[in-house]
mmCIF file of all heavy atoms in Angstrom:
data_model
loop_
_atom_site.group_PDB
_atom_site.id
_atom_site.type_symbol
_atom_site.label_atom_id
_atom_site.label_comp_id
_atom_site.label_asym_id
_atom_site.label_seq_id
_atom_site.Cartn_x
_atom_site.Cartn_y
_atom_site.Cartn_z
ATOM 1 N N PRO M 23 -13.906 32.986 -10.127
ATOM 2 C CA PRO M 23 -14.062 34.301 -9.499
ATOM 3 C C PRO M 23 -14.783 35.273 -10.424
ATOM 4 O O PRO M 23 -15.650 36.033 -9.973
ATOM 5 C CB PRO M 23 -12.628 34.774 -9.265
ATOM 6 C CG PRO M 23 -11.739 33.600 -9.517
ATOM 7 C CD PRO M 23 -12.488 32.614 -10.329
ATOM 8 N N HIS M 24 -14.420 35.264 -11.689
ATOM 9 C CA HIS M 24 -14.954 36.228 -12.669
ATOM 10 C C HIS M 24 -15.506 35.479 -13.882
ATOM 11 O O HIS M 24 -15.245 34.295 -14.054
ATOM 12 C CB HIS M 24 -13.842 37.201 -13.082
ATOM 13 C CG HIS M 24 -13.207 37.865 -11.903
ATOM 14 N ND1 HIS M 24 -11.924 37.585 -11.480
ATOM 15 C CD2 HIS M 24 -13.716 38.760 -11.010
ATOM 16 C CE1 HIS M 24 -11.648 38.291 -10.388
ATOM 17 N NE2 HIS M 24 -12.722 39.000 -10.074
ATOM 18 N N ASP M 26 -14.871 35.149 -16.930
ATOM 19 C CA ASP M 26 -14.068 34.558 -18.003
ATOM 20 C C ASP M 26 -12.993 33.587 -17.524
ATOM 21 O O ASP M 26 -12.278 33.009 -18.342
ATOM 22 C CB ASP M 26 -13.388 35.679 -18.808
ATOM 23 C CG ASP M 26 -12.610 36.659 -17.913
ATOM 24 O OD1 ASP M 26 -12.575 36.453 -16.688
ATOM 25 O OD2 ASP M 26 -12.055 37.632 -18.449
ATOM 26 N N ASP M 27 -12.840 33.388 -16.211
ATOM 27 C CA ASP M 27 -11.687 32.618 -15.732
ATOM 28 C C ASP M 27 -11.709 31.156 -16.172
ATOM 29 O O ASP M 27 -10.679 30.610 -16.568
ATOM 30 C CB ASP M 27 -11.584 32.711 -14.197
ATOM 31 C CG ASP M 27 -11.132 34.083 -13.740
ATOM 32 O OD1 ASP M 27 -10.094 34.558 -14.229
ATOM 33 O OD2 ASP M 27 -11.828 34.695 -12.898
ATOM 34 N N HIS M 135 -9.686 35.729 -6.459
ATOM 35 C CA HIS M 135 -9.195 34.411 -6.899
ATOM 36 C C HIS M 135 -8.829 33.543 -5.690
ATOM 37 O O HIS M 135 -9.130 32.352 -5.659
ATOM 38 C CB HIS M 135 -7.981 34.589 -7.810
ATOM 39 C CG HIS M 135 -8.362 34.941 -9.217
ATOM 40 N ND1 HIS M 135 -7.840 34.306 -10.321
ATOM 41 C CD2 HIS M 135 -9.237 35.858 -9.694
ATOM 42 C CE1 HIS M 135 -8.367 34.823 -11.413
ATOM 43 N NE2 HIS M 135 -9.219 35.779 -11.069
HETATM 44 ZN ZN1 ZN C 301 -10.478 36.445 -12.557
#
Side-chain angles (χ1 to χ4, degrees):
H24 306 109
D26 52 2
D27 288 307
H135 280 228

